[in-house]
Every structure is written in C-alpha cells, then in structure tokens.
Amino acid sequence: MSTHPVIIHKISQLRNKNTDARQFRELISDLSFLLIFEASKNLTLEGYPLPTPLVECTGQRVHERIGFVPILRAGLGMVDSALRVHPEAKVYHIGIYRDKRSLLPVEYYNKLPNDASVDICYILDPMVATGGTAIATINILKSWGAKKIFLIGIVVSEAAVKKVNQEHPDVEFIAGAIDAELNDHGYIIPGLGDAGDRQFQTK
C-alpha cells in the first residue's frame, strides 16, 4: 500500500460518490501514472551512444522489454498513463469478467500473440476485489511464457492480496490502497464502487 500523500489524497477524491465521470477518469489516469512509476523503480538500464547539441556522450535507457495487460474494461483507463511512463511498451488485451452469482472469473477475450516477446508484464486493474480475475490473468500470462509479472491496482482488498500472494508469491503487487472488507456481492468496502461503470457512465 502506498504511503505517498499525493496518492492518498487522490484516492480519497476517487472514492467520493460525488466525483463525476470526467474527474474520475482523470484521477484513474493520475494514480496509474504514479503507481506504474513506482513499480518501475527497480528496472535495469543499458548505455547507448547519445549525441547532445555539443558532444556525444553515453545515454541510459531501460533495458527490459515491457508489456501492459489492462483487464477489460476498467483497466483501459490506466493504459494512456502507462504509456506515458513507458511509451515503447506493448499493450495486450485480456477480457475477463466476474460472474455475478458465483463471483468466479470468466474469460471472454484474449489477444496475446503466439510468443511472449516481453521481459516484464504489468497487469492493470483499478479494483482488485476477490483476486479471482487477477489470478486467472496471471495464470494465462504464465502459460503464455511471461517470466516477470507485476499486478497494479489502485484500490484492492486484503483478501485479494492474501490470495494472490498464496497462489503466486513471485508476482509483485503494487497497490494504492488496501481495504479490509468485501460485501456479499464481492465489492470492496469502502472501495469506490464499480470502476468501469464510473469511468464509462454505464450505470
């Protein structure tokens, strides 16, 4: 969980039921940028010849090949900010929804290429509630050949953190806030409602 005061401030704004869709999308974008920036702190660098206006020197660039995997549909709101941090990254789409009765994940879309051509995958999902969708996505990526996976969530539940850590202890979980409870419908409490509906005004 982040202790950065700007992240905490913006998450409080995100939770507010009176935050309109435009503001909500902007906050998702801002928080995504900050969390992905934080998740990138241990990337490695490689040198390359860099011509400046005066001389040639040695520049530094990120060595790892990066892929972003937004969980449809709520994760789409995180992509633009992710690409601001890593504009050279690839974006892969996986569609998984949570069945409202069973609360189990159901895969309906997978646009991964045949071979894993990136070194690190960042899964993007604003809300990680039960952890089922996150684990299903991790399983898909590992079967595909992904070697290093990060899970980026803006608001997540304690239950999801525990479940992901138990099943995939090698996956690093980057969260803006961790909430203690889930209600009977699998929503995070206090949470922020349905991130997809609030972004796209579909409810």
Side-chain angles (χ1 to χ4, degrees), residues 7-20:
I7 291 177
I8 294 169
H9 172 84
K10 286 182 178 290
I11 287 176
S12 291
Q13 293 178 305
L14 197 67
R15 293 185 191 276
N16 191 333
K17 70 177 184 180
N18 296 316
T19 297
D20 65 28

PDB file of all heavy atoms in Angstrom, residues 7-20:
ATOM      1  N   ILE A   7      -0.870  10.283  -3.522  1.00  0.00           N
ATOM      2  CA  ILE A   7      -1.679   9.105  -3.868  1.00  0.00           C
ATOM      3  C   ILE A   7      -2.852   8.968  -2.907  1.00  0.00           C
ATOM      4  O   ILE A   7      -4.000   8.730  -3.325  1.00  0.00           O
ATOM      5  CB  ILE A   7      -0.796   7.841  -3.889  1.00  0.00           C
ATOM      6  CG1 ILE A   7       0.171   7.901  -5.073  1.00  0.00           C
ATOM      7  CG2 ILE A   7      -1.667   6.580  -3.962  1.00  0.00           C
ATOM      8  CD1 ILE A   7       1.142   6.749  -5.154  1.00  0.00           C
ATOM      9  N   ILE A   8      -2.600   9.109  -1.622  1.00  0.00           N
ATOM     10  CA  ILE A   8      -3.675   9.003  -0.620  1.00  0.00           C
ATOM     11  C   ILE A   8      -4.733  10.070  -0.862  1.00  0.00           C
ATOM     12  O   ILE A   8      -5.944   9.803  -0.811  1.00  0.00           O
ATOM     13  CB  ILE A   8      -3.083   9.108   0.799  1.00  0.00           C
ATOM     14  CG1 ILE A   8      -2.178   7.900   1.078  1.00  0.00           C
ATOM     15  CG2 ILE A   8      -4.195   9.200   1.843  1.00  0.00           C
ATOM     16  CD1 ILE A   8      -1.345   8.033   2.335  1.00  0.00           C
ATOM     17  N   HIS A   9      -4.303  11.290  -1.142  1.00  0.00           N
ATOM     18  CA  HIS A   9      -5.219  12.401  -1.424  1.00  0.00           C
ATOM     19  C   HIS A   9      -6.097  12.099  -2.639  1.00  0.00           C
ATOM     20  O   HIS A   9      -7.330  12.265  -2.598  1.00  0.00           O
ATOM     21  CB  HIS A   9      -4.389  13.669  -1.665  1.00  0.00           C
ATOM     22  CG  HIS A   9      -5.171  14.844  -2.159  1.00  0.00           C
ATOM     23  ND1 HIS A   9      -5.852  15.696  -1.318  1.00  0.00           N
ATOM     24  CD2 HIS A   9      -5.384  15.315  -3.426  1.00  0.00           C
ATOM     25  CE1 HIS A   9      -6.451  16.636  -2.037  1.00  0.00           C
ATOM     26  NE2 HIS A   9      -6.180  16.430  -3.308  1.00  0.00           N
ATOM     27  N   LYS A  10      -5.485  11.626  -3.716  1.00  0.00           N
ATOM     28  CA  LYS A  10      -6.237  11.384  -4.945  1.00  0.00           C
ATOM     29  C   LYS A  10      -7.168  10.178  -4.807  1.00  0.00           C
ATOM     30  O   LYS A  10      -8.260  10.161  -5.407  1.00  0.00           O
ATOM     31  CB  LYS A  10      -5.273  11.199  -6.121  1.00  0.00           C
ATOM     32  CG  LYS A  10      -4.626  12.510  -6.577  1.00  0.00           C
ATOM     33  CD  LYS A  10      -3.717  12.300  -7.773  1.00  0.00           C
ATOM     34  CE  LYS A  10      -3.117  13.628  -8.239  1.00  0.00           C
ATOM     35  NZ  LYS A  10      -4.134  14.511  -8.861  1.00  0.00           N
ATOM     36  N   ILE A  11      -6.780   9.184  -4.028  1.00  0.00           N
ATOM     37  CA  ILE A  11      -7.673   8.033  -3.821  1.00  0.00           C
ATOM     38  C   ILE A  11      -8.914   8.463  -3.045  1.00  0.00           C
ATOM     39  O   ILE A  11     -10.026   7.990  -3.319  1.00  0.00           O
ATOM     40  CB  ILE A  11      -6.925   6.878  -3.127  1.00  0.00           C
ATOM     41  CG1 ILE A  11      -5.968   6.222  -4.129  1.00  0.00           C
ATOM     42  CG2 ILE A  11      -7.907   5.837  -2.582  1.00  0.00           C
ATOM     43  CD1 ILE A  11      -5.110   5.126  -3.553  1.00  0.00           C
ATOM     44  N   SER A  12      -8.755   9.367  -2.089  1.00  0.00           N
ATOM     45  CA  SER A  12      -9.928   9.884  -1.377  1.00  0.00           C
ATOM     46  C   SER A  12     -10.877  10.589  -2.339  1.00  0.00           C
ATOM     47  O   SER A  12     -12.105  10.434  -2.247  1.00  0.00           O
ATOM     48  CB  SER A  12      -9.492  10.846  -0.264  1.00  0.00           C
ATOM     49  OG  SER A  12      -8.837  10.145   0.770  1.00  0.00           O
ATOM     50  N   GLN A  13     -10.335  11.364  -3.266  1.00  0.00           N
ATOM     51  CA  GLN A  13     -11.171  12.008  -4.273  1.00  0.00           C
ATOM     52  C   GLN A  13     -11.856  10.973  -5.157  1.00  0.00           C
ATOM     53  O   GLN A  13     -13.029  11.120  -5.529  1.00  0.00           O
ATOM     54  CB  GLN A  13     -10.333  12.948  -5.138  1.00  0.00           C
ATOM     55  CG  GLN A  13      -9.793  14.165  -4.405  1.00  0.00           C
ATOM     56  CD  GLN A  13      -8.940  15.024  -5.323  1.00  0.00           C
ATOM     57  OE1 GLN A  13      -7.978  14.553  -5.929  1.00  0.00           O
ATOM     58  NE2 GLN A  13      -9.290  16.291  -5.435  1.00  0.00           N
ATOM     59  N   LEU A  14     -11.141   9.910  -5.479  1.00  0.00           N
ATOM     60  CA  LEU A  14     -11.688   8.847  -6.328  1.00  0.00           C
ATOM     61  C   LEU A  14     -12.851   8.134  -5.638  1.00  0.00           C
ATOM     62  O   LEU A  14     -13.832   7.762  -6.284  1.00  0.00           O
ATOM     63  CB  LEU A  14     -10.569   7.849  -6.648  1.00  0.00           C
ATOM     64  CG  LEU A  14     -10.764   6.891  -7.819  1.00  0.00           C
ATOM     65  CD1 LEU A  14     -10.774   7.634  -9.136  1.00  0.00           C
ATOM     66  CD2 LEU A  14      -9.665   5.834  -7.816  1.00  0.00           C
ATOM     67  N   ARG A  15     -12.756   7.958  -4.340  1.00  0.00           N
ATOM     68  CA  ARG A  15     -13.806   7.261  -3.591  1.00  0.00           C
ATOM     69  C   ARG A  15     -15.106   8.066  -3.525  1.00  0.00           C
ATOM     70  O   ARG A  15     -16.192   7.491  -3.406  1.00  0.00           O
ATOM     71  CB  ARG A  15     -13.334   6.999  -2.157  1.00  0.00           C
ATOM     72  CG  ARG A  15     -12.185   6.028  -1.997  1.00  0.00           C
ATOM     73  CD  ARG A  15     -11.940   5.813  -0.511  1.00  0.00           C
ATOM     74  NE  ARG A  15     -10.718   5.115  -0.188  1.00  0.00           N
ATOM     75  CZ  ARG A  15     -10.576   3.788  -0.170  1.00  0.00           C
ATOM     76  NH1 ARG A  15     -11.599   3.024  -0.500  1.00  0.00           N
ATOM     77  NH2 ARG A  15      -9.422   3.240   0.177  1.00  0.00           N
ATOM     78  N   ASN A  16     -15.007   9.368  -3.567  1.00  0.00           N
ATOM     79  CA  ASN A  16     -16.158  10.240  -3.357  1.00  0.00           C
ATOM     80  C   ASN A  16     -17.254   9.960  -4.382  1.00  0.00           C
ATOM     81  O   ASN A  16     -17.019  10.044  -5.590  1.00  0.00           O
ATOM     82  CB  ASN A  16     -15.706  11.704  -3.453  1.00  0.00           C
ATOM     83  CG  ASN A  16     -16.762  12.682  -2.996  1.00  0.00           C
ATOM     84  OD1 ASN A  16     -17.967  12.422  -3.056  1.00  0.00           O
ATOM     85  ND2 ASN A  16     -16.318  13.839  -2.533  1.00  0.00           N
ATOM     86  N   LYS A  17     -18.456   9.667  -3.906  1.00  0.00           N
ATOM     87  CA  LYS A  17     -19.555   9.342  -4.831  1.00  0.00           C
ATOM     88  C   LYS A  17     -19.966  10.539  -5.672  1.00  0.00           C
ATOM     89  O   LYS A  17     -20.632  10.379  -6.703  1.00  0.00           O
ATOM     90  CB  LYS A  17     -20.751   8.802  -4.056  1.00  0.00           C
ATOM     91  CG  LYS A  17     -21.476   9.832  -3.198  1.00  0.00           C
ATOM     92  CD  LYS A  17     -22.696   9.211  -2.532  1.00  0.00           C
ATOM     93  CE  LYS A  17     -23.488  10.254  -1.750  1.00  0.00           C
ATOM     94  NZ  LYS A  17     -24.683   9.650  -1.111  1.00  0.00           N
ATOM     95  N   ASN A  18     -19.566  11.750  -5.253  1.00  0.00           N
ATOM     96  CA  ASN A  18     -19.917  12.953  -5.999  1.00  0.00           C
ATOM     97  C   ASN A  18     -18.892  13.319  -7.063  1.00  0.00           C
ATOM     98  O   ASN A  18     -19.076  14.305  -7.785  1.00  0.00           O
ATOM     99  CB  ASN A  18     -20.096  14.126  -5.030  1.00  0.00           C
ATOM    100  CG  ASN A  18     -21.255  13.907  -4.080  1.00  0.00           C
ATOM    101  OD1 ASN A  18     -22.329  13.458  -4.497  1.00  0.00           O
ATOM    102  ND2 ASN A  18     -21.046  14.194  -2.804  1.00  0.00           N
ATOM    103  N   THR A  19     -17.815  12.548  -7.170  1.00  0.00           N
ATOM    104  CA  THR A  19     -16.832  12.761  -8.233  1.00  0.00           C
ATOM    105  C   THR A  19     -17.449  12.336  -9.563  1.00  0.00           C
ATOM    106  O   THR A  19     -17.892  11.196  -9.706  1.00  0.00           O
ATOM    107  CB  THR A  19     -15.551  11.963  -7.957  1.00  0.00           C
ATOM    108  OG1 THR A  19     -14.953  12.436  -6.746  1.00  0.00           O
ATOM    109  CG2 THR A  19     -14.557  12.092  -9.085  1.00  0.00           C
ATOM    110  N   ASP A  20     -17.515  13.271 -10.535  1.00  0.00           N
ATOM    111  CA  ASP A  20     -18.166  12.935 -11.802  1.00  0.00           C
ATOM    112  C   ASP A  20     -17.252  12.097 -12.683  1.00  0.00           C
ATOM    113  O   ASP A  20     -16.080  11.868 -12.363  1.00  0.00           O
ATOM    114  CB  ASP A  20     -18.665  14.193 -12.520  1.00  0.00           C
ATOM    115  CG  ASP A  20     -17.549  15.141 -12.962  1.00  0.00           C
ATOM    116  OD1 ASP A  20     -16.421  14.685 -13.214  1.00  0.00           O
ATOM    117  OD2 ASP A  20     -17.819  16.353 -13.076  1.00  0.00           O
TER     118      ASP A  20
END
